[in-house]
């Protein structure tokens, strides 16, 4: 497809703004690692919240949602909608604890919470395991989306795409640090949302689609509109709804939706001015992530079923796309090719914005692990701040190169999503309990990490060779969760707990509260106000009410688009009631000393 001069001008203006912000931020980002990786711990909640949602607004996310909707219908989105429960748990329970810990990265947490050689091993290994291996896989899925978008809309080959995107992203990420990433995230999120909403409106009203009423009247679309799967068929509702909402959200570690917080979400919380800004940032993130963003993508995915009913139609329409890259997730990019001049340039700029926002965050986050949790901790403890910032910039470049190479081997976004879920299966509960149960130790996390990885490899590579019944994805996930959880629990009780001095210090610093610390508190913590955070039941109630509020807004929007005014009013009323209830709960927490003040 050929872009006009107006389209190219819009794209180049976006690039210019992005690079200008990154270069402007570079003036102070190189002063220290705290500035480069945490923006001096002085960022406001609204910028951090938008930065989080911009990061998850990656170019591969619309492709993933399109893949899900075309294969499983709207209800298939529960695979990621269920993670709202994880997010709300982070908002009301863990955000304040992370900010209070004072660590620079969530991996530094290991040597605050655990002790000895196991803690050092855990920190060093996960710095490479997560900062490089996992991080590269995530960035590769994002680049894969970029490859498909560029192939459909710009007729650019995969190698050219990854080179162009990598070079531009590395320039402003390596120079501006986290401050540059966060500031550009704000601009990129604005581009991305405006582009997505405008594109959805135009595409739904294409002559081939016929408007929103005609779209929903088509049989191939109508059968995919339900918010929930068919509860009379366990083969459908178990994998699409029951597993995500009952098990997956608390038991699976997934980047951006880590139980208990972690990764780049923890990085944003640690960069906040104070605890309240950390809480406000994560609340804004979850509200925008689950209630604001999904519907433009869903509408485009549903419209694609009319224009491109199967993979053959996609391959015929775009013969230059390699056959191994043609899957249902390609339909999102394919629908964008119908956009008019001007809007096409804006949408391409918005997709580039989403792509670069995610890549820049993961580059800075992964680099922080390499520098702070590996190089400075284990290789050169006396390194100067200038040298550490230099290592950070070099590792940023290396991570980008590795991700670009891996992206060329992937075929679709849903494939990578499933692999990541399987590798993290069974470890989520560890990240929830380690803050509230003294008995969790470093061996617990080591066992969970290795067992889940081995189980994932077994089901992906070894089990198929036995010629047995093919397991569904949810069955492999459930087996992985069960085996891993039993394994790390056994290891926990078979190994010695963390030494008492380390546990006392951790409790004194973070003050998590709860009965899981009674044994530690009873022995010696007279100088600590152990009741300071004794509102855990009220916080869990806030988590549940908050989740219902966000889901209600999500469904109210859907009902309105479907033309179901009764459903829209009912869901809207429930959203209003739960939002008011949440404000009352927040006020109670504030009165009882569980919140330091208003955000």
């Amino acid at each position: 497809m050929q872009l006009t001069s107006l389209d190219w001008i819009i794209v180049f203006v976006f690039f210019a703004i992005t690079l200008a912000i990154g270069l402007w931020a570079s003036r102070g980002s190189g002063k220290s690692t705290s500035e480069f990786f945490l923006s001096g711990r002085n960022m406001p909640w609204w910028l951090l919240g938008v930065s989080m949602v911009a990061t998850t607004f990656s170019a591969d996310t619309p492709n993933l949602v399109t893949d899900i909707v075309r294969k499983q219908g709207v209800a298939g989105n529960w695979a990621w909608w269920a993670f709202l429960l994880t997010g709300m748990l982070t908002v009301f329970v863990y955000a304040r604890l992370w900010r209070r810990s004072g660590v620079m990265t969530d991996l530094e947490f290991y040597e605050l919470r655990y002790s000895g050689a196991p803690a050092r091993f855990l920190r060093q290994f996960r710095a490479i395991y997560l900062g490089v291996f996992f991080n590269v896989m995530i960035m590769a899925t994002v680049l894969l989306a970029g490859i498909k978008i560029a192939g459909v809309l710009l007729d650019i080959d995969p190698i050219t795409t990854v080179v162009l995107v990598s070079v531009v992203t590395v320039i402003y990420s390596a120079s501006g640090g986290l401050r540059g990433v966060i500031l550009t995230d704000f601009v990129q999120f604005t581009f991305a949302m405006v582009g997505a909403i405008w594109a959805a409106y135009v595409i739904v009203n294409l002559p081939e689609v016929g408007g929103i009423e005609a779209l929903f009247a088509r049989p191939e679309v109508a059968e995919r509109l339900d918010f929930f799967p068919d509860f009379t068929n366990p083969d459908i509702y178990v994998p699409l709804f029951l597993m995500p909402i009952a098990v997956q959200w608390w038991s699976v570690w997934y980047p951006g939706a880590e139980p208990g917080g972690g990764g780049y979400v923890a990085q944003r919380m640690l960069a906040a001015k104070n605890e309240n800004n950390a809480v406000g940032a994560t609340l804004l993130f979850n509200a925008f992530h689950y209630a604001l963003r999904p519907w433009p993508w869903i509408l485009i995915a549903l419209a694609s079923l009319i224009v491109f009913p199967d993979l053959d139609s996609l391959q015929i329409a775009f013969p230059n796309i390699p056959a191994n890259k043609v899957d249902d997730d390609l339909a999102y990019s394919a629908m964008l090719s119908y956009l008019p001049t001007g809007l096409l340039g804006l949408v391409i700029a918005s997709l580039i914005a989403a792509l670069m926002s995610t890549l820049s965050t993961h580059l800075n986050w992964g680099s922080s692990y390499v520098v702070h949790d590996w190089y400075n901790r284990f290789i050169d403890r006396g390194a100067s701040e200038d040298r550490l910032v230099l290592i950070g910039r070099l590792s940023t470049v290396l991570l980008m190169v590795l991700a670009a190479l891996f992206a060329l081997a992937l075929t679709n976004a849903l494939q990578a999503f499933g692999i990541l879920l399987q590798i993290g299966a069974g470890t989520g509960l560890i990240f929830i309990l380690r803050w509230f149960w003294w008995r969790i130790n470093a061996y617990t996390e080591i066992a969970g990490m290795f067992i889940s990885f081995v189980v994932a490899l077994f089901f992906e590579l070894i089990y198929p060779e036995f010629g047995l019944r093919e397991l569904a994805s949810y069955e492999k996930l459930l087996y992985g969760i069960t085996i891993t959880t039993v394994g790390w629990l056994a290891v926990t009780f078979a190994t010695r707990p963390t030494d008492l001095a380390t546990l006392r210090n951790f409790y004194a610093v973070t003050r998590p509260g709860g009965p899981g610390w009674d044994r530690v508190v009873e022995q010696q913590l007279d100088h600590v106000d152990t009741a300071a955070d004794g509102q855990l039941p009220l916080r869990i109630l806030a988590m549940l009410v908050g989740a219902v509020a966000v889901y209600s807004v999500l469904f109210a929007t859907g009902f309105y688009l479907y033309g179901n005014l009764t459903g829209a009013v009912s869901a809207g009323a429930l959203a209003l009631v739960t939002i008011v209830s949440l404000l009352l709960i927040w006020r109670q927490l504030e009165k009882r000393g569980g919140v330091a003040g208003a955000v």
Side-chain angles (χ1 to χ4, degrees), residues 46-236:
W46 56 275
L47 263 181
L48 292 170
V50 170
S51 177
M52 291 183 203
V53 75
T55 296
T56 56
F57 199 136
S58 57
D60 66 317
T61 310
N63 290 18
L64 172 64
V65 171
T66 300
D67 205 350
I68 289 173
V69 170
R70 286 174 64 92
K71 287 183 169 75
Q72 302 167 342
V74 174
N77 285 288
W78 281 105
W80 66 278
W81 284 350
F83 283 120
L84 172 62
L85 297 173
T86 307
M88 284 299 177
L89 189 64
T90 299
V91 171
F92 293 107
V93 177
Y94 293 101
R96 66 199 172 91
L97 299 179
W98 276 112
R99 184 61 184 86
R100 194 177 292 166
S101 71
V103 297
M104 180 175 288
T105 68
D106 57 325
L107 297 190
E108 186 181 345
F109 169 91
Y110 290 126
E111 291 193 279
L112 175 67
R113 174 63 175 81
Y114 311 124
S115 60
R120 291 191 296 273
F121 167 79
L122 195 56
R123 182 177 179 182
Q124 184 175 20
F125 181 83
R126 285 182 78 85
I128 304 302
Y129 177 66
L130 295 181
V132 178
F133 172 74
F134 248 79
N135 207 21
V136 163
M137 182 179 289
I138 296 163
M139 289 191 292
T141 65
V142 178
L143 280 172
L144 173 65
I147 289 172
K148 296 191 176 187
I149 292 168
V152 170
L153 300 180
L154 305 175
D155 198 24
I156 298 177
D157 65 271
I159 294 178
T160 303
T161 300
V162 297
V163 170
L164 290 174
V165 169
S166 300
V167 169
V168 174
T169 306
V170 161
I171 288 174
Y172 82 82
S173 299
S175 56
L178 184 62
R179 187 181 303 275
V181 170
I182 290 173
L183 292 175
T184 53
D185 278 349
F186 188 83
V187 175
Q188 290 165 344
F189 177 71
T190 303
F191 265 89
M193 278 307 304
V194 171
I197 293 172
W198 197 353
Y201 176 81
V202 171
I203 286 172
V204 166
N205 288 285
L206 288 172
E208 295 88 341
V209 179
I212 198 163
E213 291 183 5
L215 171 65
F216 294 148
R218 295 289 290 261
E220 63 268 39
V221 173
E223 65 184 13
R224 290 175 166 85
L225 294 180
D226 291 336
F227 299 148
F228 298 93
D230 180 5
F231 286 112
T232 64
N233 187 346
D235 291 337
I236 296 177

Side-chain angles (χ1 to χ4, degrees), residues 61 197 390 407 462 570:
T61 310
I197 293 172
L390 175 61
I462 300 174
S570 299

Side-chain angles (χ1 to χ4, degrees), residues 24-42:
W24 176 83
S26 68
R27 296 180 303 170
S29 66
K31 293 179 180 178
S32 66
T33 50
S34 178
E35 284 290 340
F36 191 76
F37 295 123
L38 291 180
S39 301
R41 298 185 190 268
N42 195 37

Side-chain angles (χ1 to χ4, degrees), residues 254-307:
Y254 184 77
E258 302 89 344
Y264 60 80
V265 174
Q267 185 187 36
R268 299 304 191 274
M269 293 187 284
L270 292 167
K273 291 181 179 180
N274 51 41
E275 293 174 27
N276 282 329
N277 277 269
V279 172
T282 49
L283 181 58
L284 180 68
F285 161 52
N286 282 280
F288 277 20
H289 181 57
Y290 294 99
L292 179 65
R293 299 185 321 169
W295 282 108
W297 302 334
I298 291 172
L299 290 175
I300 292 175
L302 293 171
S304 75
L305 291 166
I306 298 174
V307 181

